[in-house]
Amino acid sequence: MPKSNSVPQVFENYSLKEYNTFGIEVKAQYFTIISSLESYVALLKAGQYAHVPHLFLGGGSNILCTQDIDALVVKNEIKGFEVIQEDEDHVILRSGAGESWDDLVSYAVQHQWSGIENLALIPGTVGAAPMQNIGAYGVEIKDTFDHLEALNLGTLVVERFEKNQCQFGYRESYFKHEGKGKYLISTVCFKLSKKPNIKTSYGAIQTVLNAKGISNPTISDISNVVIEIRKSKLPDPKEIGNSGSFFKNPTVTSEEADRLISSFPGIPNYPVEASTDIKFPAGWFIEQAGWKGFRDGDAGVHVNQALVLVNYGHATGIQILVIAEKIKASVFEKFGISLETEVNIY
Ligand code: FAD
Ligand code: NAP
């Protein structure tokens, strides 16, 4: 299909309730949907919305809106999958940034291309995935990331970013910090393996495979099991508003870890790859501090997963944020641990 380069329609005072998985009712001063980079560049060149900041939106599954957004909110629907390179062992698959992440995983699994099957059912778009180097079940996108293309809003030039330029870390990247708001990510490319690279050691994957009698899993088995586990543990944003894990898991030095482990015997902990640091599950601290299932009006902490803050219907972003701040304060008081927010607050 030819790419549209016509200026997209812009709406004023547009409700974002359907565009953020917390389901918070706020309005965007201006709102538009782009289906091609060319149409966004046409909009920029028209110059009409140069006086306001531009805020990019994918699936809205990693944001908390605490007020109306005085900006042009640009919802990215740049689509398309394409194999741009292939050899005996690998393909390089390019995806439009507005594709659903989970559709990309399904597409790769259907074609027997391995590397992202553990990341099944993560909500949101492909273009937002590099923002926080999405991860789950022992895999992060940095493991298969090849490069991305992003429009520099200052120069209107499309720049190519290799892996080492993205500064990927645990739920971190260049685009979440120095690059935030400066680039629209338009395509992302992944190097996927034609030979299955099965990873079952994390969480409940192996247990569920055993229960199903699967001893030699395919990548399709892995993705199905991950989907099953996720559906059983995590609230579906269509039913209860949420943005997944609200906080990052804290990592501390080995000395600090010794202090925690001796003060709180039985505390779960995991070594951090290529480091002497130790990671502790944020959800454990929050649960031990008594917050699991807490509810104040329509804002609360999920009954089964303390790391997930929820909107039962009509909570405001501020009400959610107030609970988050109280959680941080009480976890710090009880454990001396400073929780860091993972969700992007606006
Ligand atoms: P949005 O929320 O729309 O945007 C997030 C940030 O990225 C914003 O700052 C936005 O401005 C920016 N952005 C979005 N698109 C672009 C673009 N094209 N160019 C530049 N900037 C852009 N995350 C994990 O890592 N692992 C998980 O297992 C996981 N599980 C989740 C489960 C649930 C139930 C939910 C609700 C969320 C979960 N998340 C998880 C968080 C979330 O799904 C991911 O962070 C996802 O990548 C967000 O994608 P999005 O398109 O919804 O981003
Ligand atoms: P879980 O399996 O109950 O584990 C709890 C925590 O312990 C996770 O946060 C995980 O850290 C850590 N963990 C468990 N097994 C580990 C291992 N073998 N090695 C290292 N760390 C281990 O977690 P869950 O809540 O059901 O989530 C499952 C996966 O989905 C996790 O990877 C989680 O990150 C991801 N997830 C992310 C979000 C989000 O919004 N970011 C939301 C839901 C689920 P890690 O988080 O570092 O993996």
Side-chain angles (χ1 to χ4, degrees):
M1 215 166 67
K3 284 181 180 167
S4 159
N5 59 1
S6 55
V7 177
Q9 193 176 358
V10 175
F11 303 90
E12 275 188 50
N13 271 330
Y14 199 84
S15 169
L16 295 180
K17 188 172 169 64
E18 301 299 318
Y19 294 92
N20 70 98
T21 60
F22 253 124
I24 305 289
E25 176 61 282
V26 288
K27 286 199 165 56
Q29 186 180 4
Y30 302 109
F31 178 84
T32 191
I33 296 179
I34 55 162
S35 55
S36 74
L37 191 57
E38 291 74 8
S39 68
Y40 181 51
V41 171
L43 179 74
L44 289 171
K45 286 190 172 159
Q48 213 183 330
Y49 299 97
H51 63 292
V52 284
H54 292 196
L55 186 136
F56 303 117
L57 193 63
S61 64
N62 203 16
I63 58 170
L64 175 67
C65 300
T66 58
Q67 57 191 325
D68 287 343
I69 309 288
D70 291 334
L72 170 65
V73 172
V74 179
K75 169 136 174 61
N76 185 333
E77 292 196 355
I78 300 173
K79 298 282 172 105
F81 299 134
E82 189 186 355
V83 173
I84 56 165
Q85 216 175 301
E86 181 164 14
D87 63 23
E88 212 177 302
D89 299 323
H90 295 98
V91 290
I92 296 190
L93 177 61
R94 177 165 62 200
S95 171
E99 288 285 357
S100 134
W101 171 263
D102 191 45
D103 286 353
L104 176 72
V105 174
S106 301
Y107 188 83
V109 169
Q110 273 163 25
H111 287 81
Q112 308 284 323
W113 299 328
S114 175
I116 51 176
E117 55 279 1
N118 291 45
L119 301 177
L121 213 65
I122 297 181
T125 53
V126 172
M131 286 289 296
Q132 67 159 13
N133 177 28
I134 58 167
Y137 295 99
V139 172
E140 295 177 331
I141 67 148
K142 73 167 172 44
D143 306 333
T144 48
F145 178 91
D146 191 74
H147 69 275
L148 64 75
E149 289 180 325
L151 179 76
N152 181 324
L153 298 191
T155 61
L156 297 195
V157 170
V158 175
E159 294 177 19
R160 177 174 160 133
F161 285 79
E162 305 299 334
K163 192 193 302 201
N164 61 2
Q165 294 170 285
C166 294
Q167 298 171 16
F168 288 131
Y170 168 64
R171 306 291 189 266
E172 291 296 353
S173 78
Y174 169 77
F175 299 98
K176 202 168 175 179
H177 295 282
E178 298 96 297
K180 193 164 188 176
K182 293 185 187 151
Y183 291 91
L184 169 73
I185 297 171
S186 54
T187 65
V188 190
C189 296
F190 298 91
K191 186 173 183 178
L192 303 173
S193 170
K194 291 185 178 175
K195 296 190 183 112
N197 183 7
I198 302 289
K199 292 188 178 152
T200 63
S201 62
Y202 209 87
I205 297 181
Q206 191 58 56
T207 314
V208 176
L209 286 169
N210 291 347
K212 290 179 180 299
I214 301 172
S215 53
N216 199 6
T218 61
I219 61 168
S220 176
D221 291 326
I222 298 294
S223 124
N224 288 337
V225 163
V226 167
I227 290 170
E228 187 178 318
I229 300 169
R230 292 184 71 101
K231 281 188 172 163
S232 72
K233 292 184 82 171
L234 288 166
D236 180 350
K238 288 194 191 92
E239 287 158 21
I240 305 176
N242 75 89
S243 267
S245 306
F246 199 88
F247 302 102
K248 296 200 285 189
N249 289 323
T251 56
V252 303
T253 61
S254 53
E255 294 79 34
E256 176 69 352
D258 288 345
R259 176 190 73 77
L260 284 165
I261 292 164
S262 61
S263 307
F264 305 98
I267 183 172
N269 61 91
Y270 303 94
V272 176
E273 199 185 288
S275 157
T276 53
D277 288 353
I278 305 288
K279 178 181 74 178
F280 290 88
W284 186 89
F285 293 115
I286 299 169
E287 187 172 343
Q288 295 297 311
W291 288 97
K292 192 172 175 180
F294 172 85
R295 182 169 177 171
D296 182 7
D298 273 355
V301 181
H302 192 251
V303 285
N304 298 325
Q305 172 53 281
L307 198 46
V308 178
L309 303 194
V310 291
N311 172 13
Y312 286 102
H314 297 96
T316 63
I318 292 290
Q319 286 171 320
I320 305 272
L321 196 59
V322 165
I323 293 181
E325 291 303 327
K326 287 182 179 167
I327 289 174
K328 271 187 183 176
S330 86
V331 166
F332 186 76
E333 191 184 74
K334 195 164 164 58
F335 301 102
I337 287 289
S338 300
L339 291 179
E340 258 183 70
T341 304
E342 178 178 307
V343 169
N344 299 276
I345 314 283
Y346 290 103

